[in-house]
Amino acid sequence: MTEKLQKTAITPATHTAPPAKFSHGVKKGNILQVAGQVGFGPAVPGQAPTPVGPTLREQTLQTLRNVQSVLEEGGASWEDVVMVRIYLTDTGHFAELNEIYNEFFADLKEAAAARTTVYVGLPAGLLVEIDALAVLG
């Protein structure tokens, strides 16, 4: 009989509780799925989360840091990420997003993760959402 792998929710201390029944990240075996993260600054008790700023650069960098927090809390790093999905609200942001993304990952030692970018609607003020899939080990 095969042993069932435990599924563990991952929530860094920097994150607020999700607004619905989902986890910021879920680890099962050597797989870590990071839920879509947005450009909210670190959690402040008693305050609603808000975007770090109005620009794509500000929000993308914070979003990538938020994904990284979940990865680290789950025992992973960007080197373990095999897939990144990016959700943009404006097709005109694609070139700027690529510049920011390339800067952020300039020191990545292993092959870059596969990536998909799609255009969506997000709550007011949010410009980008990013999720990631990591395989540990």
Side-chain angles (χ1 to χ4, degrees):
M1 183 182 287
T2 305
E3 181 181 333
K4 183 172 175 150
L5 298 174
Q6 181 177 353
K7 185 168 69 170
T8 305
I10 307 294
T11 304
T14 56
H15 287 53
T16 59
K21 189 166 178 66
F22 67 87
S23 302
H24 286 291
V26 173
K27 185 175 178 181
K28 187 168 184 175
N30 67 337
I31 303 291
L32 172 60
Q33 175 65 57
V34 178
Q37 302 293 305
V38 294
F40 290 153
V44 176
Q47 291 184 10
T50 56
V52 294
T55 69
L56 181 67
R57 175 169 287 281
E58 291 168 306
Q59 289 191 28
T60 300
L61 291 173
Q62 184 63 48
T63 300
L64 289 165
R65 287 190 290 268
N66 290 344
V67 171
Q68 185 169 327
S69 293
V70 179
L71 289 169
E72 290 172 354
E73 187 76 18
S77 74
W78 286 111
E79 300 290 344
D80 300 306
V81 174
V82 296
M83 182 65 191
V84 173
R85 283 174 295 267
I86 299 178
Y87 309 90
L88 287 174
T89 59
D90 185 339
T91 58
H93 287 159
F94 188 75
E96 182 182 0
L97 172 84
N98 281 338
E99 290 174 18
I100 299 163
Y101 193 87
N102 288 341
E103 290 170 18
F104 188 86
F105 290 109
D107 296 330
L108 193 67
K109 293 174 182 63
E110 295 186 14
R115 189 182 109 181
T116 299
T117 304
V118 297
Y119 300 97
V120 299
L122 292 172
L126 293 173
L127 303 174
V128 62
E129 182 172 344
I130 300 174
D131 70 45
L133 176 66
V135 179
L136 291 77

